[in-house]
Amino acid sequence: MTTTTSSSASVAIFGVRSPDFGCSCEHHAICGSNIDYDTVLRLKKTVVGPTSGGYATIIAAVWVTEGIDRCIVGRVNPAAMKHSERLEGRLRQVTEIFWGTSHKAKNEYSTQHKGVVVAQIIDKYMVGDDVLNAFVERCDSDEESN
């Protein structure tokens, strides 16, 4: 009998509601406007720019649709750059969207980071992937704003 262990490795994607860091193209003013629950993203280390600070190396979240990498829709927390080899090419699926919820802390966090989603690993889990969870900002408050 074969058993499957599910992964709980998640990553926060920043800048989903902003055109910064290459998140706009000839088809979309803000490419992240295409993101919703269950959207598939591929993570890729890439150089974007010029930005206000010059060129930047980021771990880009690229929207995948119909099996094709389309647009950069956001970026992984820069603190996770040291794990870029573990992230490179991996597929993720959006499981949580922080803006527009009744959870005040998540809305504020999303505003601070120009749009935040959490994406769960969906390709083959690798031992040690759980270390990536340290880069997901947890909003533990049970309070909901009205």
Side-chain angles (χ1 to χ4, degrees):
M1 180 174 162
T2 305
T3 58
T4 304
T5 303
S6 63
S7 166
S8 61
S10 297
V11 66
I13 308 297
F14 295 166
V16 177
R17 299 189 75 175
S18 167
D20 299 343
F21 293 94
C23 296
S24 67
C25 69
E26 63 273 8
H27 303 290
H28 313 107
I30 298 175
C31 295
S33 63
N34 295 293
I35 300 304
D36 204 349
Y37 290 97
D38 296 331
T39 300
V40 175
L41 307 171
R42 183 182 316 280
L43 301 180
K44 291 184 174 184
K45 188 174 178 181
T46 189
V47 176
V48 295
T51 66
S52 59
Y55 289 87
T57 300
I58 64 169
I59 301 172
V62 179
W63 174 38
V64 178
T65 184
E66 298 179 5
I68 299 170
D69 291 358
R70 292 284 308 262
C71 309
I72 296 176
V73 297
R75 67 194 182 287
V76 174
N77 181 340
M81 187 61 75
K82 65 183 176 184
H83 297 287
S84 63
E85 288 181 18
R86 179 172 295 283
L87 295 167
E88 181 68 31
R90 306 288 297 278
L91 292 174
R92 304 278 172 159
Q93 187 172 32
V94 174
T95 57
E96 189 170 8
I97 297 173
F98 277 22
W99 65 86
T101 71
S102 60
H103 195 285
K104 183 180 177 183
K106 288 180 181 180
N107 273 308
E108 289 173 357
Y109 188 76
S110 183
T111 298
Q112 179 183 6
H113 295 284
K114 298 183 179 181
V116 175
V117 299
V118 174
Q120 179 86 23
I121 191 170
I122 59 171
D123 59 3
K124 185 178 179 181
Y125 176 78
M126 296 188 308
V127 174
D129 277 349
D130 293 1
V131 70
L132 302 172
N133 289 332
F135 300 100
V136 175
E137 184 72 18
R138 301 272 185 216
C139 295
D140 294 327
S141 172
D142 289 334
E143 295 181 26
E144 294 184 354
S145 61
N146 294 329

